[in-house]
């Protein structure tokens, strides 16, 4: 993201909150809604890391540092990538594997739901 795009994104967030379509319109459609949501996720986690609140415009959908507005789980896959160094991430994943949680969020895919045919 260029500095100009990021500034427009932040301005859009301040005006429209989590209304991604309106943020996209403000940005003159230089980014897809999926790109904007991805950027927002990282931006929210950075704000969380810095101890900063979200803009008041986000309050109607929740003040949590997530796309949904719910409180951020600092051990979620998205948060771990932003909050921790590579070494810390490796340590966390090793601990999860040792505890029997592969870090996949509990789902087992097709094999757990009845196996591959």
């Amino acid at each position: 993201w260029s500095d100009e795009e990021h500034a427009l994104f932040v301005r859009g967030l301040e005006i429209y909150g989590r209304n991604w379509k309106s943020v996209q319109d403000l940005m003159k459609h230089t980014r897809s809604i999926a790109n904007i949501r991805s950027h927002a996720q990282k931006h929210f986690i950075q704000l969380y890391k810095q101890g900063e609140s979200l803009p008041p415009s986000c309050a109607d959908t929740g003040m949590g540092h997530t796309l949904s507005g719910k409180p951020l789980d600092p051990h979620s896959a998205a948060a771990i990538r932003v909050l921790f160094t590579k070494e810390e991430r490796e340590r966390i994943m090793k601990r999860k594997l040792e505890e029997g949680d592969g870090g996949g969020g509990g789902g087992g895919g097709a094999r757990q739901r009845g196996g591959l045919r």
Side-chain angles (χ1 to χ4, degrees):
W1 284 60
S2 70
D3 291 342
E4 182 180 341
E5 284 178 312
H6 180 71
L8 278 172
F9 163 79
V10 170
R11 182 74 182 127
L13 194 61
E14 290 169 350
I15 297 169
Y16 302 113
R18 291 182 178 90
N19 184 331
W20 309 122
K21 176 71 174 122
S22 295
V23 174
Q24 183 189 44
D25 291 344
L26 180 71
M27 295 180 65
K28 310 279 191 240
H29 295 263
T30 60
R31 296 286 180 156
S32 70
I33 290 177
N35 288 149
I36 292 168
R37 287 174 52 92
S38 177
H39 191 69
Q41 183 178 39
K42 294 176 187 94
H43 180 70
F44 289 166
I45 295 169
Q46 282 292 343
L47 291 176
Y48 175 89
K49 183 177 184 176
Q50 297 164 1
E52 296 180 26
S53 299
L54 299 179
S57 57
C58 292
D60 63 334
T61 54
M63 289 305 291
H65 289 74
T66 60
L67 293 177
S68 68
K70 294 179 182 174
L72 177 69
D73 173 3
H75 292 100
S76 68
I80 286 173
R81 286 191 300 271
V82 176
L83 296 176
F84 300 100
T85 65
K86 181 180 178 183
E87 293 78 21
E88 290 170 326
R89 288 191 305 266
E90 289 171 354
R91 226 179 7 256
I92 290 168
M93 293 309 296
K94 181 179 178 185
R95 190 172 356 143
K96 284 186 174 207
L97 288 171
E98 289 170 353
E99 294 170 357
D101 175 12
R111 285 179 281 176
Q112 185 178 9
R113 289 189 298 270
L116 298 175
R117 297 182 205 332

